[in-house]
Amino acid sequence: MSHDLFEAARGAMAFAHAPYSNFPVGAAIRAEDGKVYTGANIENISFPQGWCAEPTAISHMIMGGAKKIVEMAVIAEKLPLCPPCGGCRQKIAEFASKETRIYLCDETGVKKTMTMDEMLPFSFETELLG
């Protein structure tokens, strides 16, 4: 199942707007509704006002009516196994469980699988705070 998320993340990366960093990133989420939602990084010359690929995909998921990330793939053109940045990890955690699988990819496919808890241990637990 992770291969289709890899393909979707790689396809999303083609839409990245990264003229300043030249660092395209793509992300793909499978939500609890079974649908796949994608995103790419969108830079803005007024740093840090751009969006990373992961929250762009989360935005598409929310606007599509889904609320929960089941699994997610991330790929960067210039950095194999590029993990989500710190801020994105907390954004993902808002819509994921500790068991949610995060797939880190290179240009050929999924190379590393981590759980959200491995990616961001001791994250804010939204069910306790919200």
Side-chain angles (χ1 to χ4, degrees), residues 4-6 8-9 12 26-39 53-62 66-74 91-92 95-96 100-103:
D4 67 326
L5 282 181
F6 158 70
I29 292 169
R30 185 178 331 281
E32 85 278 3
D33 63 2
K35 294 179 183 172
V36 173
Y37 300 92
T38 61
E54 298 89 343
T56 304
I58 290 169
S59 296
H60 284 139
M61 178 187 76
I62 296 300
K67 301 276 189 242
K68 199 76 174 155
I69 299 170
V70 174
E71 54 187 348
M72 181 176 213
V74 179
K91 289 177 178 98
I92 296 164
F95 301 98
T100 297
R101 293 174 310 281
I102 310 295
Y103 305 117

Coordinates of all heavy atoms in Angstrom, one line a residue, residues 4-6 8-9 12 26-39 53-62 66-74 91-92 95-96 100-103:
D4 N 1.7 3.2 -3.5 CA 0.9 4.2 -4.1 C 1.1 5.6 -3.5 O 1.0 6.6 -4.1 CB -0.6 3.8 -4.2 CG -1.2 3.7 -2.8 OD1 -0.5 3.4 -1.8 OD2 -2.4 4.0 -2.6
L5 N 1.4 5.6 -2.2 CA 1.6 6.9 -1.5 C 3.0 7.5 -2.0 O 3.1 8.7 -2.2 CB 1.7 6.7 0.0 CG 0.4 6.6 0.7 CD1 0.6 6.5 2.2 CD2 -0.5 7.8 0.4
F6 N 4.0 6.6 -2.2 CA 5.2 7.1 -2.8 C 5.0 7.7 -4.1 O 5.5 8.8 -4.4 CB 6.2 5.9 -2.9 CG 7.3 6.2 -3.9 CD1 8.3 7.1 -3.7 CD2 7.3 5.5 -5.1 CE1 9.3 7.4 -4.7 CE2 8.3 5.7 -6.1 CZ 9.3 6.6 -5.9
A8 N 2.2 9.0 -5.3 CA 1.5 10.3 -5.2 C 2.4 11.4 -4.6 O 2.3 12.5 -5.1 CB 0.3 10.0 -4.2
A9 N 3.3 11.1 -3.7 CA 4.2 12.1 -3.2 C 5.1 12.6 -4.2 O 5.4 13.8 -4.4 CB 4.9 11.5 -2.0
A12 N 3.3 14.8 -6.6 CA 3.1 16.1 -5.9 C 4.3 17.0 -6.0 O 4.2 18.2 -6.2 CB 2.6 15.9 -4.5
G26 N 7.6 16.7 -1.8 CA 6.2 16.2 -2.0 C 5.8 15.4 -0.8 O 6.6 14.7 -0.2
A27 N 4.5 15.4 -0.5 CA 4.0 14.6 0.5 C 2.6 14.0 0.1 O 1.9 14.6 -0.7 CB 3.8 15.4 1.8
A28 N 2.3 12.8 0.6 CA 1.0 12.2 0.3 C 0.5 11.6 1.6 O 1.2 10.9 2.3 CB 1.1 11.2 -0.8
I29 N -0.8 11.8 1.9 CA -1.5 11.3 3.0 C -2.6 10.3 2.6 O -3.3 10.6 1.7 CB -2.1 12.4 3.8 CG1 -1.1 13.4 4.4 CG2 -3.1 11.9 4.9 CD1 -1.7 14.6 5.0
R30 N -2.6 9.2 3.3 CA -3.9 8.4 3.2 C -4.6 8.7 4.5 O -4.1 8.5 5.6 CB -3.6 6.9 3.1 CG -4.9 6.1 2.9 CD -4.7 4.6 2.7 NE -3.4 4.1 2.2 CZ -3.1 4.2 0.9 NH1 -3.9 4.6 0.0 NH2 -1.9 3.7 0.5
A31 N -5.8 9.1 4.3 CA -6.7 9.5 5.4 C -7.6 8.4 5.8 O -7.7 7.4 5.1 CB -7.5 10.8 5.1
E32 N -8.4 8.6 6.9 CA -9.3 7.6 7.4 C -10.4 7.3 6.4 O -11.0 6.2 6.4 CB -9.8 7.9 8.7 CG -11.1 8.8 8.7 CD -10.8 10.3 8.6 OE1 -9.6 10.7 8.4 OE2 -11.7 11.1 8.6
D33 N -10.6 8.2 5.4 CA -11.7 7.9 4.4 C -11.1 7.1 3.2 O -11.9 6.8 2.3 CB -12.3 9.3 3.9 CG -11.2 10.1 3.2 OD1 -10.1 9.8 3.1 OD2 -11.6 11.3 2.8
G34 N -9.9 6.7 3.3 CA -9.2 5.9 2.3 C -8.7 6.7 1.1 O -8.0 6.1 0.3
K35 N -9.0 8.0 1.0 CA -8.5 8.8 -0.1 C -7.1 9.3 0.2 O -6.6 9.3 1.3 CB -9.4 10.0 -0.2 CG -10.8 9.7 -0.7 CD -11.6 10.9 -0.8 CE -13.1 10.6 -1.2 NZ -13.9 11.8 -1.2
V36 N -6.4 9.6 -0.9 CA -5.0 10.1 -0.8 C -5.0 11.6 -1.1 O -5.6 12.0 -2.1 CB -4.1 9.4 -1.8 CG1 -2.7 10.0 -1.9 CG2 -4.0 7.9 -1.5
Y37 N -4.4 12.3 -0.2 CA -4.3 13.8 -0.4 C -2.8 14.2 -0.5 O -2.0 13.6 0.3 CB -4.9 14.5 0.9 CG -6.4 14.1 1.0 CD1 -6.8 13.1 1.8 CD2 -7.4 14.9 0.4 CE1 -8.1 12.7 2.0 CE2 -8.7 14.6 0.6 CZ -9.1 13.5 1.3 OH -10.4 13.2 1.5
T38 N -2.5 15.1 -1.4 CA -1.1 15.4 -1.7 C -0.8 16.9 -1.4 O -1.7 17.7 -1.3 CB -0.7 15.0 -3.1 OG1 -1.6 15.8 -4.0 CG2 -0.9 13.6 -3.4
G39 N 0.5 17.1 -1.3 CA 0.9 18.5 -1.2 C 2.4 18.6 -1.6 O 3.1 17.7 -1.6
A53 N 5.5 20.8 2.3 CA 4.7 19.9 1.6 C 3.7 19.2 2.5 O 2.5 19.0 2.2 CB 5.5 18.8 0.9
E54 N 4.1 18.9 3.8 CA 3.3 18.2 4.7 C 2.0 19.0 5.1 O 0.9 18.4 5.0 CB 4.1 17.7 5.9 CG 5.2 16.8 5.6 CD 6.5 17.5 5.2 OE1 6.5 18.7 4.9 OE2 7.6 16.8 5.3
P55 N 2.1 20.2 5.5 CA 0.9 21.0 5.9 C 0.1 21.3 4.7 O -1.2 21.4 4.8 CB 1.4 22.2 6.6 CG 2.8 22.3 6.3 CD 3.3 21.0 5.9
T56 N 0.7 21.4 3.5 CA -0.1 21.6 2.3 C -1.0 20.3 2.0 O -2.2 20.5 1.8 CB 0.8 21.8 1.0 OG1 1.6 22.9 1.3 CG2 0.0 22.1 -0.2
A57 N -0.5 19.1 2.2 CA -1.2 17.9 2.1 C -2.3 17.8 3.2 O -3.5 17.4 2.9 CB -0.3 16.7 2.2
I58 N -1.9 18.2 4.4 CA -2.9 18.2 5.5 C -4.1 19.2 5.2 O -5.2 18.9 5.4 CB -2.3 18.6 6.8 CG1 -1.3 17.5 7.3 CG2 -3.3 18.9 7.9 CD1 -0.4 17.9 8.5
S59 N -3.8 20.3 4.6 CA -4.8 21.3 4.2 C -5.8 20.7 3.2 O -7.0 20.8 3.3 CB -4.2 22.6 3.6 OG -3.4 23.2 4.6
H60 N -5.2 20.0 2.2 CA -6.1 19.3 1.2 C -6.9 18.3 1.9 O -8.1 18.1 1.5 CB -5.2 18.7 0.1 CG -4.7 19.7 -0.9 ND1 -3.4 19.6 -1.4 CD2 -5.3 20.8 -1.4 CE1 -3.2 20.6 -2.2 NE2 -4.3 21.3 -2.2
M61 N -6.4 17.5 2.8 CA -7.1 16.5 3.6 C -8.3 17.1 4.3 O -9.4 16.7 4.2 CB -6.2 15.7 4.5 CG -6.9 14.7 5.4 SD -5.9 13.9 6.6 CE -5.9 15.3 7.9
I62 N -8.0 18.2 5.0 CA -9.1 18.8 5.8 C -10.2 19.4 4.9 O -11.4 19.2 5.1 CB -8.5 20.0 6.7 CG1 -7.5 19.4 7.8 CG2 -9.6 20.8 7.4 CD1 -8.2 18.4 8.7
A66 N -11.7 15.0 5.4 CA -11.1 14.0 6.3 C -10.5 14.6 7.5 O -10.2 15.8 7.4 CB -10.1 13.1 5.5
K67 N -10.2 13.9 8.5 CA -9.7 14.5 9.8 C -8.5 13.7 10.3 O -7.8 14.2 11.2 CB -10.8 14.5 10.8 CG -12.0 15.3 10.4 CD -11.8 16.8 10.7 CE -13.0 17.6 10.5 NZ -13.0 18.6 9.5
K68 N -8.2 12.5 9.8 CA -7.2 11.6 10.5 C -6.3 11.0 9.4 O -6.7 10.5 8.4 CB -8.0 10.5 11.2 CG -7.2 9.8 12.2 CD -7.1 10.6 13.5 CE -6.4 9.8 14.6 NZ -5.8 10.7 15.6
I69 N -5.0 11.2 9.7 CA -3.9 10.6 8.9 C -3.7 9.2 9.3 O -3.4 8.9 10.4 CB -2.6 11.4 9.0 CG1 -2.8 12.9 8.6 CG2 -1.5 10.7 8.2 CD1 -1.6 13.8 8.9
V70 N -3.8 8.3 8.3 CA -3.6 6.8 8.6 C -2.1 6.5 8.3 O -1.4 5.8 9.0 CB -4.5 6.0 7.7 CG1 -4.1 4.5 7.8 CG2 -5.9 6.2 8.1
E71 N -1.6 7.1 7.2 CA -0.2 6.9 6.8 C 0.2 8.0 5.9 O -0.7 8.7 5.3 CB 0.1 5.5 6.2 CG -0.8 5.2 5.0 CD -0.6 3.8 4.5 OE1 0.3 3.1 4.9 OE2 -1.5 3.4 3.6
M72 N 1.5 8.3 5.8 CA 2.0 9.4 5.0 C 3.4 9.1 4.4 O 4.2 8.5 5.0 CB 2.1 10.6 6.0 CG 2.6 11.9 5.3 SD 2.6 13.2 6.5 CE 2.2 14.6 5.5
A73 N 3.6 9.6 3.2 CA 4.9 9.5 2.5 C 5.4 10.8 2.2 O 4.7 11.8 1.9 CB 4.7 8.7 1.2
V74 N 6.8 11.0 2.4 CA 7.5 12.2 2.1 C 8.7 11.9 1.2 O 9.4 11.0 1.4 CB 7.9 12.9 3.4 CG1 8.7 14.2 3.2 CG2 6.8 13.1 4.4
K91 N 2.6 19.4 13.3 CA 1.4 19.6 12.5 C 0.8 18.2 12.2 O -0.4 18.0 12.2 CB 1.7 20.4 11.3 CG 1.9 21.9 11.6 CD 2.3 22.6 10.3 CE 2.5 24.1 10.5 NZ 3.9 24.4 10.7
I92 N 1.7 17.3 11.8 CA 1.2 15.9 11.5 C 0.6 15.3 12.7 O -0.4 14.6 12.6 CB 2.4 15.1 10.9 CG1 2.9 15.7 9.6 CG2 2.0 13.6 10.7 CD1 4.3 15.1 9.2
F95 N -3.1 15.4 13.6 CA -4.1 14.6 12.9 C -3.7 13.1 12.8 O -4.3 12.4 12.1 CB -4.2 15.2 11.5 CG -4.7 16.6 11.5 CD1 -3.7 17.6 11.3 CD2 -6.0 16.9 11.7 CE1 -4.1 19.0 11.4 CE2 -6.4 18.3 11.7 CZ -5.5 19.3 11.6
A96 N -2.7 12.7 13.5 CA -2.2 11.3 13.5 C -2.3 10.7 14.8 O -2.5 11.4 15.8 CB -0.7 11.3 13.0
T100 N 0.6 6.0 13.6 CA 0.6 6.4 12.2 C 2.0 6.2 11.5 O 3.0 6.6 12.1 CB 0.2 7.9 12.1 OG1 -1.1 8.0 12.6 CG2 0.3 8.3 10.6
R101 N 2.0 5.5 10.4 CA 3.2 5.2 9.7 C 3.6 6.4 8.8 O 2.8 6.9 8.0 CB 3.1 3.9 8.9 CG 3.0 2.7 9.7 CD 2.7 1.4 8.9 NE 1.6 1.5 7.9 CZ 0.3 1.5 8.2 NH1 -0.1 1.3 9.5 NH2 -0.6 1.5 7.3
I102 N 4.9 6.8 8.9 CA 5.5 7.8 8.0 C 6.5 7.1 7.2 O 7.5 6.5 7.7 CB 6.1 9.0 8.9 CG1 5.2 9.5 9.9 CG2 6.6 10.1 7.9 CD1 3.9 10.1 9.4
Y103 N 6.4 7.2 5.8 CA 7.3 6.6 4.9 C 8.3 7.6 4.4 O 7.9 8.6 3.8 CB 6.6 6.0 3.7 CG 5.5 5.0 4.2 CD1 4.2 5.3 3.9 CD2 5.8 3.8 4.8 CE1 3.2 4.4 4.2 CE2 4.8 2.9 5.2 CZ 3.5 3.2 4.9 OH 2.5 2.3 5.3

